[in-house]
Amino acid sequence: MFTINPFSELSASISPLVMQGYVVLMILMVIGGTVLDMIHKKSAQYFFENAKKAKKSAKRSVDSGEKASIAVQVLLNEVLTSGEFCNVKRRLSHLLTMYGFILFVAATAIMIFAYPTPATSTPAILPILWHIGALMLAIGGYWFWFFIRVDVSAEGLSWYRFERTDLFIVSLLTTATFGLIWSFTQSQGIAGWSTLAFVLFIASSTMLFG
């Protein structure tokens, strides 16, 4: 299971071009959704207006070296290590989910575009990274959903309470979960369950990126 490229096995029934087209469509959906969100929230306008205000109220100019230093500090502290989270459990959950997502998506794209069929001989490390990414996603996401959610811990609400804002984490979790189930059932040759898991995997990922 862990060393098998599930997408190359899938190529026997679904053309690699269809799989590649689906990935491109998901990327376009993310770009389109981001642009629409920026237009709706007027994020770009706010950013530029805020930048102008900050420039006018600045007490001193910052040279390029200092700007680079600040950028590196932000990258290391807030992006790569999620230093904005004071709660250690929240930070670990976020890091597992974030790096799991990166591994999962990157390995998916590489396997679909570079090794879409059994004839292309997928390097064993790629399916391993794909499965590790999915497992990290599942562990980090379920940890957050069942034990860390702010509304649950602060307001004493039930874990199954669902709102529109939960759609992202739920679709992320179901994508990783059904992806793992699909890979397992496919490797075991359980055709019916494998097909069902694949359909749910695609439905979840479409909801996630859409």
Side-chain angles (χ1 to χ4, degrees), residues 15-50:
S15 168
L17 288 176
V18 173
M19 290 188 273
Q20 292 166 2
Y22 174 81
V23 173
V24 171
L25 178 60
M26 293 303 101
I27 293 171
L28 292 175
M29 287 176 74
V30 171
I31 294 171
T34 302
V35 171
L36 288 173
D37 191 58
M38 289 176 65
I39 293 172
H40 175 68
K41 295 179 179 177
K42 299 181 179 179
S43 303
Q45 180 182 344
Y46 169 80
F47 175 79
F48 288 115
E49 288 178 355
N50 197 50

Side-chain angles (χ1 to χ4, degrees), residues 31 44 85 90 160 180 203 207:
I31 294 171
F85 292 112
R90 186 89 184 268
Y160 51 81
L180 288 169
M207 180 170 64

